[in-house]
Amino acid sequence: MILMGTGTSHGIPVIGCDCAVCRSEHEKDKRLRCSAFIEDLNCSSATNILIDAGPEFRIQALKYGIKRLDGVLLTHSHADHCHGIDDLRAFSHIKPGETIGVPLPIYANSNTIEDLRFRFSYMFKEVTQGGGVPNLDLIEADSFSGENPLVIGGVRIIPVPMKHGVLDVFGWILKDDRDCSIVYLTDCSSMADSSIDTIKKYGGNIIHAVVDGLRERPHSTHCNFDEALSYADRIGAAHTWLTHFCHDFFHADIQQYIDKNLGKYTNLSKIVSFGGSVAPAYDGIVLETAV
């Protein structure tokens, strides 16, 4: 998995902001909006999956050389996670300028699908000529579960219901054919015990957990650092990565905060003592499931 963006809805630097973080020249302090790309995931069959298509998706696709997609997973329909959806045209046409052929499947929960049809209604209307819209198949993923996973190529995928403020959103468990997994949990303010149980029961060997950790201060729709670490402590991945950062902290300062407070979290401390890690994610980091 490549984390192509690890910033909050503003991205970093923030437009018009002159704070020290936004003026930083360090590459790890520059963050595009959150998106991830799964390439193969060490499966026996080549599989390319996108998680979220935000407003910088075109830039991310070019930067990381994405040339084919087998499916798209959306966490929710906020602008910073779906307003690059029109650029999926390049992956849903059998050749430039045409919308015929098998549509690209987009998986999300039911309220996200409903919102997409409203926000991007032009994509789903009959057109008499031209191919200027993506050829998409919006698929409600609410019925998929640990017992009935979504399968794209060689990847088994299980949605994880979460709360983003009052909004129902999805995180995702992605498992390869060796039962190793990456758990991707962005834009989350709370997770029910049942969702943690789903991760622990069906996550298999959880190599990486990517968890929303916006900032140190509390926020109504995102986990702060301590809340993110608390969930990570319960999940128990070999490697935990906080993501979706605002511009309150430099990258290096987030690591210092984690190191200073890690002792509060018994499970994470034990995992780190045995060679695991807890760290801030950054744009371009590659997460492997090979062990």
Side-chain angles (χ1 to χ4, degrees):
M1 175 186 282
I2 302 172
L3 300 185
M4 302 191 296
T6 57
T8 190
S9 57
H10 290 289
I12 303 173
V14 176
I15 294 172
C17 183
D18 196 38
C19 76
V21 174
C22 287
R23 288 186 286 109
S24 172
E25 293 299 323
H26 198 292
E27 282 303 308
K28 290 183 180 179
D29 290 325
K30 300 179 187 298
R31 301 180 184 276
L32 301 179
R33 270 65 77 91
C34 276
S35 182
F37 175 59
I38 298 92
E39 185 175 18
D40 191 13
L41 201 68
N42 296 300
C43 297
S44 55
S45 58
T47 304
N48 289 352
I49 301 168
L50 175 70
I51 303 181
D52 288 340
E56 286 134 352
F57 171 63
R58 177 180 174 276
I59 295 169
Q60 294 165 331
L62 291 170
K63 181 176 182 178
Y64 296 104
I66 302 175
K67 296 182 179 179
R68 180 180 59 80
L69 289 175
D70 298 299
V72 178
L73 310 174
L74 294 182
T75 57
H76 63 299
S77 60
H78 282 169
D80 55 320
H81 292 261
C82 75
H83 274 203
I85 196 170
D86 192 82
D87 287 317
L88 294 174
R89 281 182 290 172
F91 305 95
S92 62
H93 297 182
I94 59 172
K95 61 182 180 180
E98 295 188 3
T99 56
I100 62 175
V102 178
L104 178 66
I106 310 292
Y107 300 93
N109 65 16
S110 55
N111 61 287
T112 298
I113 295 295
E114 181 181 4
D115 207 10
L116 291 176
R117 290 191 180 280
F118 174 75
R119 291 191 186 198
F120 303 101
S121 59
Y122 70 93
M123 293 182 184
F124 308 103
K125 295 177 181 177
E126 291 290 334
V127 293
T128 57
Q129 61 181 2
V133 297
N135 184 20
L136 307 178
D137 184 13
L138 301 183
I139 301 170
E140 293 185 3
D142 304 74
S143 63
F144 294 108
S145 65
E147 300 294 338
N148 176 40
L150 165 65
V151 179
I152 302 177
V155 185
R156 287 169 291 159
I157 302 162
I158 301 164
V160 179
M162 308 188 300
K163 282 290 188 180
H164 180 27
V166 299
L167 185 67
D168 292 317
V169 302
F170 272 170
W172 301 96
I173 302 168
L174 302 108
K175 289 205 294 185
D176 65 19
D177 53 10
R178 296 172 296 110
D179 207 37
C180 294
S181 70
I182 296 175
V183 181
Y184 188 81
L185 308 168
T186 191
D187 283 55
C188 166
S189 55
S190 65
M191 275 183 281
D193 290 344
S194 57
S195 292
I196 298 293
D197 292 343
T198 293
I199 294 169
K200 294 179 72 68
K201 182 175 181 179
Y202 297 107
N205 184 12
I206 306 172
I207 308 299
H208 299 281
V210 183
V211 185
D212 179 8
L214 180 72
R215 63 192 192 189
E216 181 182 4
R217 295 175 290 137
H219 193 277
S220 61
T221 63
H222 291 274
C223 290
N224 64 10
F225 294 162
D226 286 339
E227 290 166 332
L229 292 171
S230 293
Y231 285 124
D233 192 59
R234 295 173 64 188
I235 292 167
H239 304 282
T240 293
W241 306 94
L242 303 192
T243 192
H244 210 286
F245 299 114
C246 72
H247 59 157
D248 280 10
F249 282 82
F250 293 102
H251 177 91
D253 290 341
I254 301 172
Q255 186 65 68
Q256 289 180 5
Y257 182 95
I258 292 169
D259 295 342
K260 179 180 178 181
N261 291 276
L262 191 61
K264 300 177 185 177
Y265 307 100
T266 304
N267 198 26
L268 288 180
S269 297
K270 183 185 298 184
I271 289 168
V272 169
S273 71
F274 282 95
S277 63
V278 183
Y282 55 88
D283 289 16
I285 189 172
V286 178
L287 309 183
E288 301 278 2
T289 57
V291 293

